[in-house]
Amino acid sequence: MRIIVKTVGTVLVSIVLTYPLWAPQWGRGILGEIAALGMPGGLIAVAVFFGLVALYCRALQRTMTAVRPDARTAAPASVWWMFAIPYNFTEDFFIVRTVSTSLAADAYVPSGFVRRWAALGYGWCAFQILSLFPGAAGYVGGAIALLMWAAHWIMTARVNRTLALRRQAASPAHSL
């Protein structure tokens, strides 16, 4: 069933991403927005965005690495699927699910925090898809997605600090 959801989701996202080709009256889409920045502005914007995504993926990979191995529901490196465009728009939901179920199984981070972390993660994923739509809905969806993504990243950093405390407590004490 997961493969069907991922496949159908990727096809639907691809349809929305290509609307400037089959419905140019709706607008130029995200590629048009990047092109409007000119050169090198568009290239810089894309590089900065993908750099931030890489830092976010690294934070999620640290989370998965810090989770007890027996509690992990996927390999820590699986979070890097966020770079597989357009597959990532659907896969991001599964990445949030994988990390949250791993955190829940690990049971070190309070369950209420994990639930809020997951809800915020699913929220930015949904608004990210809305951001692909033309017009005001896309702009508002994109703005909300970015704010939720930033908040989720902050929560991820908190999770990583919490898990690092466990690691420090488990390591043998060093005398000065």
Side-chain angles (χ1 to χ4, degrees), residues 16 124-142 144:
V16 174
W124 78 253
C125 291
F127 280 102
Q128 171 186 240
I129 290 175
L130 181 62
S131 77
L132 301 176
F133 285 83
Y139 287 117
V140 171
I144 293 170

Side-chain angles (χ1 to χ4, degrees), residues 19-34:
Y19 77 78
L21 300 174
W22 50 267
Q25 69 276 16
W26 291 354
R28 299 183 312 167
I30 187 67
L31 295 179
E33 298 295 330
I34 293 168

Side-chain angles (χ1 to χ4, degrees), residues 43-114:
L43 183 62
I44 291 169
V46 169
V48 167
F49 178 74
F50 283 124
L52 290 171
V53 172
L55 292 172
Y56 177 70
C57 286
R58 189 175 75 175
L60 290 177
Q61 184 175 11
R62 284 181 179 154
T63 304
M64 289 295 286
T65 301
V67 165
R68 288 188 341 266
D70 63 310
R72 292 181 197 148
T73 57
S78 66
V79 300
W80 291 92
W81 279 105
M82 284 191 186
F83 278 97
I85 299 169
Y87 173 73
N88 69 307
F89 287 91
T90 303
E91 181 62 19
D92 289 348
F93 288 96
F94 289 93
I95 291 169
V96 169
R97 182 176 183 272
T98 296
V99 177
S100 66
T101 56
S102 297
L103 285 169
D106 185 88
Y108 190 75
V109 176
S111 61
F113 189 89
V114 173

